[in-house]
Amino acid sequence: MIPKDKLQETFDYLKQFLTDERLSKIEHFSKESSDFVLPVMEDVYQFRNAAAIVRSVEACAFHHVVALEEENVFNPNLKVTKGAETWVQVEKMPNNIDSLKEIKNRGYRILAVSPEKNATMLPDYEIKEPIALVFGTELEGVSDEVLGFADETLAIPMYGFTKSFNVSVAAAICMYELKQKLMKSGIDYKLSDEKLLEMKIRWTVNSIRSGEELLERFLKK
């Protein structure tokens, strides 16, 4: 854990090891990053789906995924992520209600992505506060336990015989649609200065060979 008063100094030290091109990209893309929408994956087991979710999340500049693990390990396929795993923080937690309570205590409203419980359709949803979107497993969808705990449910309209999208497709649609809503909302949805610096440090460490060792050495000084 880096002390708040050392964040800028730490980033200034680490960025000297970056190429000018990589530093420019980090400065540019970090400006749009947000944790206002937090995708939460409930025991996703197909590694291609895990990878596609990470890729979609990064493309919409949310950069943080929570993986609730029980029987399966959230392990993105690097051939599918196309490097997105460098930028997205995957936080792993046990697949239980206590984990969702922890997320709720961070200030998130819990939304289960499911047509159950008189769900609000995604195009009609008005985002007003930070939300954690819980996506269920590939075959079963969101569990009954999560549905019972969620503050509300959100559904994607379907127009054909098919009743649902693949979980990675559903995540991509939700992330993109909610990003558009935030950009048009006037809400201050971007990262705080502190969180922005923490993320830029993480990105820089991930961009440098032996980045973790460099960071550890600097913090020991």
Side-chain angles (χ1 to χ4, degrees):
M1 191 72 174
I2 304 173
K4 294 179 182 180
D5 61 347
K6 295 291 185 182
L7 289 172
Q8 185 65 58
E9 183 182 355
T10 303
F11 178 61
D12 289 342
Y13 168 76
L14 291 172
K15 71 182 184 182
Q16 68 180 312
F17 298 99
L18 297 172
T19 63
D20 290 342
E21 180 182 12
R22 178 53 64 96
L23 177 58
S24 177
K25 287 183 176 180
I26 286 175
E27 294 287 8
H28 176 76
F29 290 112
S30 63
K31 294 176 183 177
E32 190 56 42
S33 188
S34 172
D35 59 359
F36 208 86
V37 177
L38 178 67
V40 179
M41 304 298 149
E42 189 183 12
D43 211 29
V44 169
Y45 63 85
Q46 292 188 1
F47 61 84
R48 288 187 178 276
N49 281 334
I53 290 164
V54 168
R55 187 173 175 180
S56 296
V57 168
E58 199 289 317
C60 294
F62 289 115
H63 296 127
H64 189 183
V65 171
V66 172
L68 301 180
E69 295 183 337
E70 186 174 357
E71 296 180 2
N72 307 296
V73 175
F74 191 88
N75 186 25
N77 183 323
L78 300 186
K79 291 182 179 179
V80 181
T81 58
K82 301 296 184 182
E85 76 286 348
T86 300
W87 316 113
V88 177
Q89 179 185 10
V90 177
E91 179 182 3
K92 297 186 177 185
M93 303 175 74
N95 186 21
N96 55 43
I97 294 301
D98 285 342
S99 294
L100 290 181
K101 288 179 179 178
E102 164 63 22
I103 293 170
K104 192 175 180 68
N105 287 337
R106 296 178 189 177
Y108 287 96
R109 185 169 179 81
I110 307 297
L111 272 67
V113 180
S114 170
E116 307 292 333
K117 295 176 60 179
N118 297 314
T120 302
M121 290 295 137
L122 179 60
D124 300 326
Y125 185 74
E126 186 176 354
I127 186 167
K128 298 179 180 178
E129 60 186 312
I131 59 173
L133 284 184
V134 185
F135 297 87
T137 60
E138 289 87 342
L139 294 178
E140 303 298 332
V142 179
S143 67
D144 290 339
E145 188 177 24
V146 171
L147 283 172
F149 179 80
D151 295 302
E152 57 184 308
T153 54
L154 188 70
I156 302 171
M158 306 298 298
Y159 304 105
F161 290 103
T162 303
K163 293 183 179 180
S164 65
F165 287 108
N166 169 281
V167 63
S168 64
V169 175
I173 291 171
C174 289
M175 293 297 106
Y176 187 83
E177 180 74 13
L178 290 166
K179 179 70 172 184
Q180 301 308 305
K181 289 178 181 290
L182 283 173
M183 292 176 71
K184 297 173 184 177
S185 69
I187 294 173
D188 183 12
Y189 63 87
K190 297 181 183 180
L191 295 178
S192 66
D193 290 344
E194 181 183 330
K195 288 183 176 180
L196 183 62
L197 269 173
E198 289 174 342
M199 187 188 69
K200 286 162 67 173
I201 289 169
R202 188 173 70 251
W203 284 4
T204 302
V205 167
N206 290 346
S207 298
I208 304 169
R209 183 175 297 178
S210 302
E212 290 287 353
E213 289 84 348
L214 279 171
L215 175 61
E216 185 177 352
R217 191 184 311 156
F218 176 76
L219 293 177
K220 285 182 178 178
K221 289 183 179 180

Short mmCIF file of all heavy atoms in Angstrom, two decimals, residues 49-73:
data_model
loop_
_atom_site.label_atom_id
_atom_site.label_comp_id
_atom_site.label_asym_id
_atom_site.label_seq_id
_atom_site.Cartn_x
_atom_site.Cartn_y
_atom_site.Cartn_z
N ASN A 49 -14.75 -16.54 -22.41
CA ASN A 49 -15.71 -15.55 -21.93
C ASN A 49 -15.04 -14.57 -20.96
O ASN A 49 -15.27 -13.36 -21.00
CB ASN A 49 -16.89 -16.22 -21.24
CG ASN A 49 -17.89 -16.79 -22.23
OD1 ASN A 49 -18.01 -16.31 -23.35
ND2 ASN A 49 -18.63 -17.81 -21.81
N ALA A 50 -14.21 -15.12 -20.05
CA ALA A 50 -13.50 -14.27 -19.10
C ALA A 50 -12.64 -13.24 -19.85
O ALA A 50 -12.62 -12.05 -19.50
CB ALA A 50 -12.63 -15.12 -18.18
N ALA A 51 -11.96 -13.70 -20.88
CA ALA A 51 -11.09 -12.81 -21.65
C ALA A 51 -11.90 -11.76 -22.40
O ALA A 51 -11.53 -10.58 -22.43
CB ALA A 51 -10.26 -13.63 -22.64
N ALA A 52 -13.00 -12.17 -23.01
CA ALA A 52 -13.82 -11.23 -23.76
C ALA A 52 -14.42 -10.17 -22.84
O ALA A 52 -14.55 -8.99 -23.22
CB ALA A 52 -14.94 -11.98 -24.49
N ILE A 53 -14.77 -10.56 -21.63
CA ILE A 53 -15.30 -9.60 -20.65
C ILE A 53 -14.24 -8.57 -20.29
O ILE A 53 -14.51 -7.36 -20.28
CB ILE A 53 -15.79 -10.35 -19.39
CG1 ILE A 53 -17.06 -11.15 -19.72
CG2 ILE A 53 -16.06 -9.37 -18.24
CD1 ILE A 53 -17.39 -12.20 -18.68
N VAL A 54 -13.03 -9.02 -19.99
CA VAL A 54 -11.94 -8.11 -19.66
C VAL A 54 -11.69 -7.14 -20.80
O VAL A 54 -11.51 -5.93 -20.61
CB VAL A 54 -10.66 -8.90 -19.31
CG1 VAL A 54 -9.44 -7.97 -19.25
CG2 VAL A 54 -10.83 -9.62 -17.99
N ARG A 55 -11.71 -7.65 -22.02
CA ARG A 55 -11.47 -6.81 -23.19
C ARG A 55 -12.55 -5.74 -23.34
O ARG A 55 -12.26 -4.57 -23.61
CB ARG A 55 -11.40 -7.69 -24.43
CG ARG A 55 -11.00 -6.97 -25.70
CD ARG A 55 -10.80 -7.96 -26.83
NE ARG A 55 -10.53 -7.30 -28.09
CZ ARG A 55 -10.31 -7.95 -29.23
NH1 ARG A 55 -10.33 -9.27 -29.25
NH2 ARG A 55 -10.06 -7.29 -30.34
N SER A 56 -13.80 -6.13 -23.15
CA SER A 56 -14.91 -5.17 -23.29
C SER A 56 -14.88 -4.12 -22.18
O SER A 56 -15.15 -2.93 -22.42
CB SER A 56 -16.26 -5.91 -23.26
OG SER A 56 -16.39 -6.77 -24.37
N VAL A 57 -14.56 -4.55 -20.97
CA VAL A 57 -14.48 -3.63 -19.85
C VAL A 57 -13.40 -2.57 -20.12
O VAL A 57 -13.61 -1.37 -19.92
CB VAL A 57 -14.18 -4.39 -18.54
CG1 VAL A 57 -13.79 -3.43 -17.42
CG2 VAL A 57 -15.39 -5.21 -18.13
N GLU A 58 -12.24 -3.01 -20.59
CA GLU A 58 -11.15 -2.07 -20.87
C GLU A 58 -11.52 -1.12 -22.00
O GLU A 58 -11.22 0.08 -21.93
CB GLU A 58 -9.88 -2.84 -21.24
CG GLU A 58 -8.60 -2.04 -21.09
CD GLU A 58 -8.44 -0.94 -22.14
OE1 GLU A 58 -8.74 -1.20 -23.33
OE2 GLU A 58 -8.04 0.18 -21.77
N ALA A 59 -12.19 -1.63 -23.01
CA ALA A 59 -12.56 -0.79 -24.16
C ALA A 59 -13.49 0.35 -23.74
O ALA A 59 -13.50 1.41 -24.38
CB ALA A 59 -13.23 -1.65 -25.24
N CYS A 60 -14.25 0.15 -22.67
CA CYS A 60 -15.16 1.18 -22.17
C CYS A 60 -14.54 1.97 -21.01
O CYS A 60 -15.22 2.79 -20.39
CB CYS A 60 -16.48 0.55 -21.73
SG CYS A 60 -17.42 -0.16 -23.11
N ALA A 61 -13.26 1.71 -20.71
CA ALA A 61 -12.47 2.46 -19.73
C ALA A 61 -12.99 2.35 -18.31
O ALA A 61 -12.93 3.31 -17.54
CB ALA A 61 -12.37 3.94 -20.14
N PHE A 62 -13.47 1.15 -17.93
CA PHE A 62 -13.83 0.96 -16.52
C PHE A 62 -12.68 0.33 -15.72
O PHE A 62 -12.50 0.62 -14.55
CB PHE A 62 -15.12 0.14 -16.41
CG PHE A 62 -16.33 0.92 -16.85
CD1 PHE A 62 -17.06 0.54 -17.97
CD2 PHE A 62 -16.74 2.04 -16.16
CE1 PHE A 62 -18.16 1.27 -18.40
CE2 PHE A 62 -17.84 2.78 -16.58
CZ PHE A 62 -18.55 2.39 -17.70
N HIS A 63 -11.89 -0.54 -16.33
CA HIS A 63 -10.60 -0.97 -15.80
C HIS A 63 -10.60 -1.71 -14.47
O HIS A 63 -9.57 -1.80 -13.81
CB HIS A 63 -9.66 0.24 -15.69
CG HIS A 63 -9.33 0.84 -17.02
ND1 HIS A 63 -9.50 2.19 -17.29
CD2 HIS A 63 -8.90 0.29 -18.17
CE1 HIS A 63 -9.16 2.43 -18.54
NE2 HIS A 63 -8.80 1.30 -19.09
N HIS A 64 -11.75 -2.24 -14.05
CA HIS A 64 -11.80 -3.01 -12.81
C HIS A 64 -12.91 -4.04 -12.92
O HIS A 64 -14.05 -3.71 -13.25
CB HIS A 64 -12.07 -2.07 -11.63
CG HIS A 64 -11.93 -2.73 -10.28
ND1 HIS A 64 -12.19 -2.07 -9.09
CD2 HIS A 64 -11.59 -3.99 -9.91
CE1 HIS A 64 -11.98 -2.88 -8.08
NE2 HIS A 64 -11.63 -4.06 -8.55
N VAL A 65 -12.58 -5.29 -12.66
CA VAL A 65 -13.53 -6.39 -12.68
C VAL A 65 -13.42 -7.15 -11.37
O VAL A 65 -12.31 -7.37 -10.87
CB VAL A 65 -13.24 -7.36 -13.85
CG1 VAL A 65 -14.08 -8.62 -13.74
CG2 VAL A 65 -13.50 -6.70 -15.20
N VAL A 66 -14.56 -7.54 -10.81
CA VAL A 66 -14.55 -8.44 -9.66
C VAL A 66 -14.99 -9.82 -10.13
O VAL A 66 -16.04 -9.96 -10.77
CB VAL A 66 -15.50 -7.95 -8.54
CG1 VAL A 66 -15.62 -9.01 -7.45
CG2 VAL A 66 -14.98 -6.66 -7.93
N ALA A 67 -14.18 -10.82 -9.85
CA ALA A 67 -14.49 -12.20 -10.19
C ALA A 67 -14.85 -12.95 -8.92
O ALA A 67 -14.00 -13.13 -8.04
CB ALA A 67 -13.31 -12.86 -10.90
N LEU A 68 -16.11 -13.36 -8.80
CA LEU A 68 -16.54 -14.17 -7.66
C LEU A 68 -16.27 -15.64 -8.00
O LEU A 68 -16.92 -16.21 -8.88
CB LEU A 68 -18.03 -13.95 -7.37
CG LEU A 68 -18.46 -12.51 -7.06
CD1 LEU A 68 -19.96 -12.45 -6.80
CD2 LEU A 68 -17.69 -11.95 -5.86
N GLU A 69 -15.31 -16.24 -7.31
CA GLU A 69 -14.89 -17.59 -7.65
C GLU A 69 -15.42 -18.61 -6.65
O GLU A 69 -15.40 -18.38 -5.45
CB GLU A 69 -13.37 -17.68 -7.70
CG GLU A 69 -12.74 -16.85 -8.82
CD GLU A 69 -11.23 -17.02 -8.88
OE1 GLU A 69 -10.63 -17.39 -7.84
OE2 GLU A 69 -10.66 -16.79 -9.95
N GLU A 70 -15.89 -19.74 -7.19
CA GLU A 70 -16.33 -20.85 -6.35
C GLU A 70 -15.73 -22.14 -6.88
O GLU A 70 -14.69 -22.61 -6.42
CB GLU A 70 -17.86 -20.92 -6.33
CG GLU A 70 -18.39 -21.96 -5.36
CD GLU A 70 -19.91 -21.92 -5.25
OE1 GLU A 70 -20.55 -21.05 -5.89
OE2 GLU A 70 -20.46 -22.76 -4.52
N GLU A 71 -16.34 -22.69 -7.91
CA GLU A 71 -15.82 -23.92 -8.51
C GLU A 71 -14.80 -23.62 -9.61
O GLU A 71 -13.99 -24.47 -9.97
CB GLU A 71 -16.97 -24.75 -9.10
CG GLU A 71 -17.96 -25.24 -8.06
CD GLU A 71 -19.08 -26.05 -8.68
OE1 GLU A 71 -19.06 -26.24 -9.91
OE2 GLU A 71 -19.97 -26.49 -7.94
N ASN A 72 -14.86 -22.42 -10.17
CA ASN A 72 -14.06 -22.09 -11.34
C ASN A 72 -13.11 -20.92 -11.06
O ASN A 72 -13.39 -20.06 -10.24
CB ASN A 72 -14.98 -21.73 -12.51
CG ASN A 72 -16.00 -22.81 -12.77
OD1 ASN A 72 -15.66 -23.92 -13.12
ND2 ASN A 72 -17.28 -22.49 -12.58
N VAL A 73 -12.00 -20.92 -11.77
CA VAL A 73 -11.00 -19.85 -11.68
C VAL A 73 -11.21 -18.89 -12.84
O VAL A 73 -11.33 -19.32 -13.99
CB VAL A 73 -9.57 -20.42 -11.71
CG1 VAL A 73 -8.54 -19.29 -11.73
CG2 VAL A 73 -9.34 -21.33 -10.51
#
